[in-house]
Amino acid sequence: MAEIKRKYRDPSVPIEQRVDLLIDQMTTQEKLMQLAAVYVNDAFNNIETKTLSQGKLLGCVREGWGHFSCAVRYEYPANGVCLANSMQKAAFEETRLGIPVVIHDESLHGCMAQGSTSFPQAIGLAATWDPKLMERVASAIGRETAARGVNQALSPTINIARDKRCGRTEETYGEDPVLASRMAVAFIKSMQKENVICTPKHFVANFVGDGGRDSNDIHISERLLREIYFPAFEASIREGGALSLMSAYNTLDGAPCSANRWLLTHVLRNEWGFKGYVVSDYGSVVHLLLKHRTAATRALCAKKCLEAGLDIELPGNECVSALMRSIDEGELSLETLDENVRRVLYVKFKTGLFENPYVDERRAVQVINCDKHRDLAREAARRSMVLLKNDGILPLRKDLHSIAVVGANAAVYRPGGYPPRNTSGESPLDNIKSAVADACAVEYAQGCALRSDSHEFIPEAVEKARAADAVIVVAGNANGHGWKDAGENTEGEEHDRCRLELPGAQEALIEAVCNVNDRVVVVLINGSAIVMTHW
């Protein structure tokens, strides 16, 4: 093998030239390994306890894989930083060409890795109508994300929420293209100033199928795409300068978005001038075979997606690995392969990964979930609240002797989907008790479960409400820690809704309480619209 020429390591050389110098020395295998990832689940010793084998992970780095999905999510900050640095050291010093790796995670309203600050969910931040506040929040999220060695965020979610039955409405900035565009630009520019690659998603029209179903077949006109569903993505590229973008699960008139050349090449690159790389939504490449039935093999799935303009398969490499075994048979042209790799390397050079692959291990402890960020999260939470109606009950009088707190969401912490792992939060009941201290008695009764139709415990709540000077009912929906926990979830990913009323017996509880006390405040904790006509 020819001697490696390290000129591509010289930061004084223009990026495009550095990219070409590196590509010229890469084997076909090395190029393909820059177009896929290793999923952290594949590096667990124990999938149930999420016990990570750092040896397995570092072994994958030494093999030459270019991207790692959620590799440090399950480690607390100090350990996570050490692991991230070890991965970069192995890539930089123990592989033939020394190409640094990209480690990604979700950072929708706080980096999803262990112990990060949890900010209000996206729909709440949108309700502030304040891009300047979004800039401050995104900067804080970016600092925490970068401090633990995560250099790509699969955020923000900028799909337009036109059908509120979609379970993932809470992840969006709502139904208005202008508001979504302003929030997206504020988020992306602020995050990328902290040297975290942003990945707006899901391109395009992911949540607007019949009934608001996530990832369904979409049949809408190009005019609707350009007037409603494109603007936030276009602004993210042209104004926000996003360096990555995620394709969507759904199809557009039968063509999968992850293999749609009109979307990923003609519109995204030729019209909008996008220079970064496109990643697949998790598993959307193999969906060409398993769901859309537009490819007969895994190798053909990869071929079709790469030719269309998608660059990286996430979260793993099952289709790209299959392509590796057949590329010599003409499955994919080397010109197409080089173009895909060129975009990936461009971003790695652009973000300075070759010059600064490591992070300061002391900074993680200083920055992640610090007092300053927690104070900002409280400010953002206050600003995100929306007062729908007030008949003079609010603010509550300071001379109250007793308050009854009831409702399915009163005594639980609901952070919203994709929250930071193991970040604790106080319930509304905890905060009410703290706010009144010893000045007022606080009585609690759940009254009803979130989803159950049972009225068994409503009488207990009614009696406490009857005796109280004021009542606070905390109702709504749920999509809490561990966003796929089946238990109580009534919205969120994989939990699209068929009705917009409060689930279970919650409406009956509200009506029963109001029958015995006319000083009632209803607080809704929810990620999407709730119909209130009955009460």
Side-chain angles (χ1 to χ4, degrees):
M1 187 173 288
E3 180 184 356
I4 299 172
K5 299 175 183 178
R6 302 287 183 181
K7 186 67 175 175
Y8 62 86
R9 291 279 185 90
D10 184 352
S12 68
V13 175
I15 290 178
E16 288 78 4
Q17 188 177 340
R18 297 176 74 184
V19 169
D20 288 337
L21 287 169
L22 181 50
I23 285 179
D24 286 346
Q25 300 184 79
M26 296 176 73
T27 66
T28 299
Q29 177 94 351
E30 287 169 334
K31 292 174 183 177
L32 283 166
M33 294 179 88
Q34 290 297 311
L35 305 184
V38 173
Y39 193 20
V40 68
N41 285 15
D42 297 328
F44 284 138
N45 278 329
N46 188 315
I47 190 69
E48 297 297 327
T49 61
K50 310 294 187 186
T51 305
L52 188 65
S53 169
Q54 294 194 16
K56 289 182 182 178
L57 204 57
L58 292 174
C60 293
V61 175
R62 295 183 184 104
E63 288 175 7
W65 292 104
H67 303 265
F68 288 80
S69 302
C70 311
V72 300
R73 175 182 294 179
Y74 301 98
E75 300 287 337
Y76 278 98
N79 292 340
V81 172
C82 290
L83 175 57
N85 282 340
S86 296
M87 291 172 66
Q88 297 293 6
K89 181 179 175 65
F92 215 59
E93 299 181 5
E94 300 180 49
T95 62
R96 193 176 73 89
L97 296 170
I99 303 174
V101 299
V102 168
I103 301 169
H104 75 244
D105 213 315
E106 308 282 351
S107 294
L108 180 64
H109 56 116
C111 182
M112 202 174 167
Q114 298 272 22
S116 304
T117 307
S118 183
F119 291 88
Q121 179 60 286
I123 198 70
L125 291 168
T128 69
W129 292 81
D130 189 347
K132 293 295 183 184
L133 177 62
M134 173 61 88
E135 289 175 2
R136 294 167 58 204
V137 168
S139 292
I141 295 173
R143 284 191 291 271
E144 294 197 12
T145 302
R148 62 171 77 243
V150 174
N151 35 40
Q152 180 177 0
L154 302 187
S155 309
T157 301
I158 58 174
N159 293 109
I160 302 300
R162 282 294 173 103
D163 190 321
K164 303 305 181 291
R165 289 172 292 183
C166 174
R168 299 181 72 177
T169 296
E170 65 173 78
E171 297 177 39
T172 75
Y173 300 129
E175 65 184 356
D176 184 81
V178 176
L179 178 61
S181 297
R182 293 309 94 210
M183 290 300 189
V185 170
F187 186 100
I188 292 164
K189 291 179 76 170
S190 299
M191 282 279 283
Q192 292 195 163
K193 282 181 182 177
E194 302 299 332
N195 221 27
V196 177
I197 301 162
C198 267
T199 309
K201 63 187 185 183
H202 311 77
F203 192 55
V204 65
N206 196 35
F207 303 155
V208 295
D210 294 341
R213 292 185 181 90
D214 185 0
S215 310
N216 209 20
D217 294 332
I218 305 299
H219 304 284
I220 54 179
S221 68
E222 184 176 340
R223 177 178 176 179
L224 279 176
L225 286 174
R226 291 191 178 276
E227 291 186 357
I228 305 298
Y229 301 107
F230 276 1
F233 287 97
E234 184 174 4
S236 296
I237 304 306
R238 292 187 186 272
E239 298 179 60
L243 291 170
S244 180
L245 182 139
M246 180 182 284
S247 64
Y249 283 130
N250 56 279
T251 64
L252 280 179
D253 288 328
C257 289
S258 293
N260 191 316
R261 186 168 178 81
W262 177 72
L263 277 180
L264 302 183
T265 297
H266 294 300
V267 173
L268 183 61
R269 295 192 168 91
N270 297 346
E271 290 187 25
W272 299 348
F274 180 61
K275 296 184 70 173
Y277 57 69
V278 176
V279 303
S280 74
D281 202 346
Y282 276 23
S284 71
V285 176
V286 77
H287 283 182
L288 270 65
L289 169 66
L290 302 180
K291 294 189 175 182
H292 304 307
R293 304 291 198 267
T294 59
T297 66
R298 282 169 169 74
L300 282 173
C301 290
K303 176 181 183 290
K304 287 192 171 191
C305 289
L306 294 176
E307 287 178 340
L310 185 140
D311 301 303
I312 300 171
E313 179 186 9
L314 297 182
N317 54 71
E318 62 176 309
C319 294
V320 168
S321 291
L323 187 61
M324 287 178 182
R325 297 189 291 270
S326 59
I327 196 165
D328 291 336
E329 301 169 10
E331 288 282 7
L332 182 73
S333 74
L334 293 181
E335 291 79 8
T336 297
L337 177 59
D338 284 354
E339 190 59 34
N340 295 123
V341 176
R342 183 171 286 108
R343 292 190 284 256
V344 173
L345 295 179
Y346 170 83
V347 175
K348 290 189 175 186
F349 281 117
K350 177 77 173 175
T351 54
L353 262 179
F354 279 83
E355 288 72 54
N356 300 292
Y358 307 116
V359 289
D360 186 344
E361 296 180 7
R362 297 166 297 179
R363 181 168 169 75
V365 178
Q366 297 167 353
V367 168
I368 295 172
N369 208 16
C370 64
D371 290 342
K372 181 179 179 181
H373 290 175
R374 292 172 67 86
D375 288 342
L376 177 59
R378 290 188 189 94
E379 177 188 348
R382 286 194 295 270
R383 297 278 302 282
S384 71
M385 294 180 187
V386 177
L387 179 62
L388 296 179
K389 182 179 180 181
N390 184 14
D391 288 333
I393 297 174
L394 294 173
L396 293 177
R397 301 195 323 268
K398 293 187 177 181
D399 61 350
L400 297 178
H401 297 294
S402 62
I403 298 174
V405 180
V406 304
N409 276 343
V412 291
Y413 170 55
R414 302 285 192 207
Y418 287 94
R421 288 184 55 82
N422 291 352
T423 298
S424 60
E426 296 175 341
S427 69
L429 177 63
D430 293 331
N431 279 282
I432 292 167
K433 288 180 176 179
S434 176
V436 303
D438 297 327
C440 179
V442 177
E443 296 290 333
Y444 165 70
Q446 184 182 34
C448 66
L450 192 82
R451 300 175 63 176
S452 173
D453 292 324
S454 172
H455 291 206
E456 179 182 0
F457 300 106
I458 289 180
E460 178 190 3
V462 168
E463 290 309 306
K464 291 187 183 295
R466 191 193 309 274
D469 293 332
V471 184
I472 300 175
V473 182
V474 189
N477 278 301
N479 182 22
H481 281 96
W483 48 279
K484 283 189 176 178
D485 289 349
E488 286 193 326
N489 283 8
T490 56
E491 61 184 0
E493 187 165 359
E494 298 186 1
H495 289 83
D496 297 330
R497 301 158 69 193
C498 62
R499 302 174 62 216
L500 297 185
E501 290 83 5
L502 284 168
Q506 293 187 76
E507 288 190 357
L509 173 63
I510 292 171
E511 292 170 349
V513 166
C514 288
N515 286 336
V516 300
N517 196 316
D518 59 4
R519 299 171 301 280
V520 179
V521 179
V522 177
V523 179
L524 297 176
I525 298 177
N526 52 291
S528 184
I530 288 175
V531 173
M532 308 174 203
T533 51
H534 296 154
W535 49 277

